[in-house]
Amino acid sequence: MQDLDANDITDAVIAQMADTPDPRLREIMEAAVRHQHAFAREVKLTPEEWLKGIAFATAVGQACTPYRQEFILLSDILGLSRLVNAMHDATGREEVGTETSLLGPFFREQAPKIALGGTIAHVKSGPEIVLYGQVTDPAGKPVPDAQMDVWQTGADGLYDLQAHDPSVMDMRGQLRCDAEGRFHFRTVKPIGYPIPMDGPVGDLVTHQNRHGFRPAHIHVLISAPGYRELVTALYFGDDEHVDSDTVFGVSASLVVHDRLDLPDAPIPGLPSIRYDFTLSQESGSGGGRVGSDPSRLAPAG
Amino acid sequence: MQDLDANDITDAVIAQMADTPDPRLREIMEAAVRHQHAFAREVKLTPEEWLKGIAFATAVGQACTPYRQEFILLSDILGLSRLVNAMHDATGREEVGTETSLLGPFFREQAPKIALGGTIAHVKSGPEIVLYGQVTDPAGKPVPDAQMDVWQTGADGLYDLQAHDPSVMDMRGQLRCDAEGRFHFRTVKPIGYPIPMDGPVGDLVTHQNRHGFRPAHIHVLISAPGYRELVTALYFGDDEHVDSDTVFGVSASLVVHDRLDLPDAPIPGLPSIRYDFTLSQESGSGGGRVGSDPSRLAPAG
């Protein structure tokens, strides 16, 4: 007969999961139970608080739609996404590539293809800027023909997925770098924006007295055969929240400034940013994206 | 500029939550972040595994309906509900009352009222048994007029909420004990049953090679002015899973056997169970139910 108090319930649960055939699932679930129980014991979680937690998790799940992933947002504001990212960055690389940043909930597969020098601002307009640079390996050797996805808010602080008709793609594009790894494209300067504040995660952030803003940034995803997929973002140094990102995505090496005085700017007269990306060699473990197209996670209902 | 690696991200998140006005919310969220990050670091959670976790949590949330609470089920099979219950039992009581057990996801407010000696089997039939006894305080003094809610599966192993028309209440009732705290009612003998296996929590239990069964039991909730609300259940000792409950609800003191030889059985000729319940005095913190009517937690959609 199991007579379990608050101290031995943990071992009883782990014992009941001991026959899990997949050793990794067993390892993860055992650790999850140990840490979850340690949390509940540390704060002496009451039944009322437990019930609030159940209601919160339920609300987060029910806020997910094909165009919104509230659990990724929760992971982001709790720093879990950044932590998983940081651990992934530190593994399996022979040399150091460009630092990564969060994929976030707004990536979409099959963005419109644009030619080098084209613009990703198809619908919305605003002050134009140019992003250009070169993709190389850690030794500085050009990576030819890398594929680059870029996506960002418009000058209104909104992604296309947040527009009235989220099926229209805008402020995102897919381009192919040239044989020397060079790229350049036009866009409008994004502005910082709050995370979606109308759901349970926004409620939590409000109750925590956090501003809820991300600094202005441009997401970049680069892939090329033989190299680890790079998921990163460039952050604008003139944004007031560049030091207090609500989802902890900023690294110093990813902060940029648009300038008019760059001698090799490909489109003179427009504020420009030069950023050179470094891809690290593919390791055995393969690439991994912290985040995903929400339509691949939420049921279509 | 925040340049965060896997070790200092935790402090950065806690710093950003430091202005939370409600001190208890701050305490709980700080501990949640520390334990969650410690878990991710211990198992070296990969981006692919993180994404599977996001998809799992999303599926659990989306499985919740007005008649189903999948997050409570998840809490139950991970032993968290039992842990919160056990901590609650250990607080604020001057004397020891009857041990508690999980409320579970099938409690409903305003069950049909029945008279003493009546039956809670309104629709479904099966082998009849009688439950009777007395409600007292820890000194053995009768508690007059206590209100008692009871609910259980039928002999088919299903609750009314799992029936074709879940709006019909059956195998549950509300009765009032007499001035001496005595009660008796008729019901059918419940059988053990698996937790709902057609959702993400059932998938997890299957992948863990767990049988997924709860032993046969009758839920009991007793309240009386001045006493702590008692949420418990009586478990049948002849059930094969009485020692391996999937949700860790069984305690030795709650195991019962129906017998034909009880001299004070109020309805002779029917297998009967005598169980006397002891209510502890109300403490300042009030009662708390680990579990709740799912219709109070899930959006009505």
Side-chain angles (χ1 to χ4, degrees):
Chain A
M1 184 54 50
Q2 41 188 1
D3 254 339
L4 306 169
D5 66 17
N7 290 314
D8 46 30
I9 174 69
T10 308
D11 287 341
V13 177
I14 289 172
Q16 203 176 105
M17 306 188 313
D19 288 333
T20 305
D22 177 342
R24 180 62 174 163
L25 177 64
R26 188 176 73 180
E27 179 183 14
I28 286 177
M29 290 309 301
E30 283 186 9
V33 166
R34 268 192 287 103
H35 286 279
Q36 184 196 52
H37 286 201
F39 155 73
R41 274 191 293 264
E42 179 184 324
V43 302
K44 297 184 175 62
L45 197 69
T46 70
E48 294 85 354
E49 291 164 347
W50 171 88
L51 194 56
K52 279 189 192 175
I54 294 284
F56 176 74
T58 304
V60 172
Q62 304 243 339
C64 294
T65 73
Y67 295 112
R68 178 169 183 158
Q69 228 308 336
E70 194 85 354
F71 266 116
I72 290 184
L73 187 62
L74 180 60
S75 169
D76 291 349
I77 66 126
L78 297 181
L80 179 64
S81 309
R82 173 69 188 247
L83 170 57
V84 173
N85 233 30
M87 290 192 294
H88 182 63
D89 273 9
T91 62
R93 295 195 301 182
E94 303 275 314
E95 318 91 349
V96 173
T98 299
E99 278 196 85
T100 68
S101 189
L102 308 179
L103 187 72
F106 296 112
F107 173 68
R108 298 171 85 166
E109 310 269 4
Q110 299 183 320
K113 289 189 199 311
I114 60 165
L116 291 180
T119 182
I120 65 167
H122 307 293
V123 180
K124 291 193 277 195
S125 59
E128 272 202 303
I129 59 170
V130 173
L131 181 64
Y132 71 104
Q134 191 176 23
V135 180
T136 70
D137 73 7
K141 190 172 147 248
V143 173
D145 306 322
Q147 179 178 296
M148 177 182 286
D149 270 275
V150 294
W151 68 104
Q152 61 171 69
T153 67
D156 57 356
L158 294 172
Y159 288 90
D160 54 4
L161 280 165
Q162 297 169 304
H164 180 65
D165 179 359
S167 71
V168 176
M169 293 214 197
D170 189 29
M171 304 307 299
R172 66 178 73 236
Q174 210 172 64
L175 53 153
R176 192 163 293 282
C177 303
D178 69 15
E180 294 299 312
R182 292 199 192 84
F183 66 91
H184 71 290
F185 65 92
R186 290 179 299 134
T187 181
V188 301
K189 188 167 178 173
I191 65 165
Y193 59 88
I195 60 165
M197 295 297 281
D198 60 341
V201 173
D203 283 348
L204 175 60
V205 166
T206 300
H207 279 97
Q208 292 179 322
N209 259 4
R210 294 160 69 171
H211 57 61
F213 270 77
R214 300 214 65 202
H217 59 279
I218 300 174
H219 290 279
V220 181
L221 188 158
I222 304 176
S223 56
Y227 296 90
R228 177 183 279 216
E229 182 178 76
L230 173 65
V231 178
T232 190
L234 303 179
Y235 295 88
F236 285 79
D238 56 0
D239 189 292
E240 64 175 311
H241 299 118
V242 74
D243 287 322
S244 61
D245 184 1
T246 291
V247 301
F248 310 96
V250 181
S251 297
S253 69
L254 299 174
V255 174
V256 297
H257 295 83
D258 54 283
R259 299 167 55 178
L260 276 165
D261 61 351
L262 292 166
D264 61 349
I267 305 179
L270 283 179
S272 300
I273 296 162
R274 174 169 183 146
Y275 200 90
D276 297 327
F277 295 94
T278 308
L279 300 189
S280 54
Q281 310 292 331
E282 182 69 275
S283 70
S285 70
R289 300 176 185 176
V290 179
S292 181
D293 185 341
S295 65
R296 288 194 293 168
L297 285 173
Chain B
M1 183 55 50
Q2 41 189 2
D3 255 339
L4 306 168
D5 66 18
N7 290 314
D8 45 30
I9 174 68
T10 307
D11 288 340
V13 177
I14 289 172
Q16 203 177 103
M17 306 189 312
D19 288 333
T20 304
D22 178 342
R24 180 61 175 164
L25 178 64
R26 187 176 73 180
E27 180 183 13
I28 287 177
M29 290 309 301
E30 283 186 10
V33 166
R34 268 191 287 103
H35 286 279
Q36 184 195 52
H37 287 203
F39 155 73
R41 274 191 292 264
E42 179 185 324
V43 302
K44 297 183 174 62
L45 198 69
T46 70
E48 293 85 355
E49 291 162 348
W50 170 89
L51 194 57
K52 279 189 191 175
I54 294 285
F56 177 74
T58 303
V60 172
Q62 304 243 339
C64 294
T65 73
Y67 296 110
R68 178 170 184 160
Q69 228 308 336
E70 195 84 355
F71 266 117
I72 290 184
L73 188 62
L74 179 61
S75 168
D76 291 349
I77 66 127
L78 297 181
L80 179 64
S81 309
R82 173 69 187 249
L83 170 57
V84 172
N85 234 28
M87 289 193 294
H88 181 64
D89 273 9
T91 63
R93 296 194 302 181
E94 302 275 313
E95 318 90 352
V96 173
T98 298
E99 277 195 85
T100 68
S101 190
L102 309 180
L103 187 73
F106 296 112
F107 173 69
R108 298 171 84 166
E109 309 270 4
Q110 300 182 321
K113 289 188 198 315
I114 60 165
L116 292 180
T119 183
I120 64 167
H122 308 293
V123 180
K124 292 192 276 195
S125 60
E128 272 201 302
I129 59 171
V130 173
L131 181 63
Y132 71 103
Q134 192 177 20
V135 180
T136 70
D137 73 7
K141 191 171 146 248
V143 174
D145 306 322
Q147 180 177 296
M148 177 181 288
D149 270 275
V150 293
W151 67 104
Q152 61 172 67
T153 65
D156 57 356
L158 294 172
Y159 288 89
D160 54 5
L161 281 166
Q162 297 170 303
H164 180 65
D165 178 1
S167 71
V168 175
M169 294 213 195
D170 190 28
M171 303 308 299
R172 65 178 72 236
Q174 210 171 65
L175 54 153
R176 192 163 292 283
C177 302
D178 70 15
E180 294 300 309
R182 293 199 192 84
F183 66 90
H184 72 290
F185 65 92
R186 290 180 298 137
T187 181
V188 300
K189 187 166 179 174
I191 65 165
Y193 58 88
I195 60 167
M197 295 297 282
D198 59 341
V201 173
D203 283 349
L204 175 60
V205 165
T206 300
H207 280 97
Q208 292 179 322
N209 258 6
R210 294 161 69 170
H211 56 62
F213 270 77
R214 299 214 65 202
H217 59 279
I218 300 174
H219 291 278
V220 182
L221 188 157
I222 305 177
S223 55
Y227 296 90
R228 177 183 278 216
E229 182 178 76
L230 173 65
V231 178
T232 190
L234 303 179
Y235 295 88
F236 285 80
D238 55 1
D239 190 293
E240 64 176 310
H241 299 118
V242 74
D243 288 322
S244 60
D245 184 1
T246 291
V247 302
F248 310 97
V250 181
S251 297
S253 69
L254 300 174
V255 174
V256 296
H257 293 83
D258 55 283
R259 299 166 55 179
L260 277 166
D261 60 352
L262 292 166
D264 61 348
I267 305 178
L270 284 180
S272 300
I273 297 163
R274 174 170 184 145
Y275 200 91
D276 296 327
F277 294 94
T278 308
L279 300 189
S280 54
Q281 309 292 332
E282 182 68 276
S283 69
S285 70
R289 299 177 186 176
V290 179
S292 181
D293 185 339
S295 64
R296 288 195 291 167
L297 285 174

